[in-house]
Amino acid sequence: MKTSKKLFCIILLGIFFTQPLLAKPEANIPSSFNLMGSKVVVTKGGMDKIMVKYNSLTRSQKHYDILLDRCNTYFAFIARELKTRGVPEEFKYLALQESLLDGNAISNATPPAVGFWQFKDFTAEERGMKIDRNIDERKNVVAASIGAADYLSKSHYYLGNWFYAMISYHDGLTGAKNYIKKNKLNYYSQVTINENTHPYVLHYLAHYFAFKDNVGQDKEHTVLIELPTNGYSLSQVSKFTGQPLSIISSNNIWLSGSYIPEDKVYSVMIEANPTEINQMVAKLSPYAKPKKTRAARSIFQFYADSIKDDYPFVLPTQMESEDSKYDFAIVNGVKAVILKEEMTQKELVKSLGTISKGKLKKYNYIKGKDMLMKDRHYYIEPLPASIPVSYHIFEEGESLNFIAIKYGIDLKALKKLNEMSKESDAKVGDKIYFN
């Protein structure tokens, strides 16, 4: 069809199996491989731990086939949202681990975690998902995957490694930082998996290897089509697709009523036979509304972080200092040094040999010949123009200069984001935005 290219920009396809066609996999986990930008080495102890979970996933053919069907139902949508936001698509196996790809999954926590990526209500709402008596977008694979991708992107920004970001999805960003420090991990050069590795990572690897070779192998399948729309009811969708309302409803468990609100565009899932994709797309196109997914630059706009006391966010680095007066570190995602004793600007610049005095002053907003203080961090590369935190509440005794250094954001950009030209423009109680 002449219009199919345009339509497929709006209506995107996902695939799922109608019948189990593949035998359960035989264990074939290498002891060394590359994954998500890291070299991974698995010790014997680590392999034994992975195999315990691997065997539990593959022991029952019926259970395995059910999970494989779900992978082929939803992975296309999950991978799309991950890749759109710069997150490795291999994280789709983390969704399988979190919920077994059951949109109705509910945890025993208080409050409970719900849906494909197991979000609690407040964290889901921070990431733009709507939750009320009629809608729970945690059960919508597209909306939930956007939220998960945002979270993982933010964690990677600060932690600098995708395996660290994975741990943060379980422990939280601060919990991951503490776990890394306590266990003296260094995944920057190599990810070593042993019997003491975080169980969440071990379980992820079991899911990854149990399913990766079988996902997407069968091409004779029914498909799910995403219809981005609003302002309709599922009954109306049923009429213009010619599909029974019961099937429409079963594929859209995120909507407990029938009416699709008009406050934004929602992802409605429609079944189609593989031989009738073009016909279904043609039926849906008059009702589809362009879905403007958030670009990578704006993925952090929903965060209202409550971890300000953890800033500056400091992590060790693989770089070792040749000078006993300071240590290298990653502070708020930026290369920095932390002084063990007072130093002059000239002493630090000479010891580093990689930065001029002018740039040291510029990156850290240093005036005159101020001494550099013990236990303080000093950035040795430029600060970014935006960071993955929504805002900071301005408090008594603070300055924009202080906030820029604390959170690691360019001061000029900070003023521009908040439409301020001078320090005195910031008042106690103001929200200081970072993106």
Side-chain angles (χ1 to χ4, degrees), residues 318-360:
Q318 66 269 42
M319 296 174 60
E320 292 187 3
S321 172
E322 295 180 359
D323 194 318
S324 61
K325 294 183 178 181
Y326 60 84
D327 287 325
F328 287 106
I330 301 296
V331 179
N332 300 324
V334 179
K335 291 180 181 178
V337 293
I338 298 178
L339 301 194
K340 297 179 181 178
E341 58 183 77
E342 282 192 357
M343 295 181 72
T344 66
Q345 298 169 37
K346 184 177 180 180
E347 286 175 331
L348 180 57
V349 167
K350 183 178 179 180
S351 179
L352 289 170
T354 57
I355 185 174
S356 67
K357 186 176 178 181
K359 287 184 176 179
L360 179 69

Side-chain angles (χ1 to χ4, degrees), residues 128-180:
M129 283 171 260
K130 184 172 182 177
I131 302 172
D132 58 27
R133 65 180 182 177
N134 295 316
I135 289 176
D136 190 340
E137 285 196 286
R138 294 174 293 180
K139 299 179 180 182
N140 183 305
V141 68
V142 174
S145 295
I146 290 173
D150 286 0
Y151 185 92
L152 292 165
S153 295
K154 174 186 176 180
S155 293
H156 182 263
Y157 177 92
Y158 283 118
L159 300 174
N161 178 275
W162 288 114
F163 281 88
Y164 286 162
M166 184 187 298
I167 293 171
S168 80
Y169 201 84
H170 183 272
D171 289 3
L173 188 56
T174 301
K177 179 185 72 171
N178 295 336
Y179 179 84
I180 292 164

Side-chain angles (χ1 to χ4, degrees), residues 8 124 139-140 155 159 214 255 265 327 345 362 368 370 421:
F8 273 88
K139 299 179 180 182
N140 183 305
S155 293
L159 300 174
N214 284 338
L255 188 63
V265 176
D327 287 325
Q345 298 169 37
K362 179 181 178 181
D370 292 349
S421 59

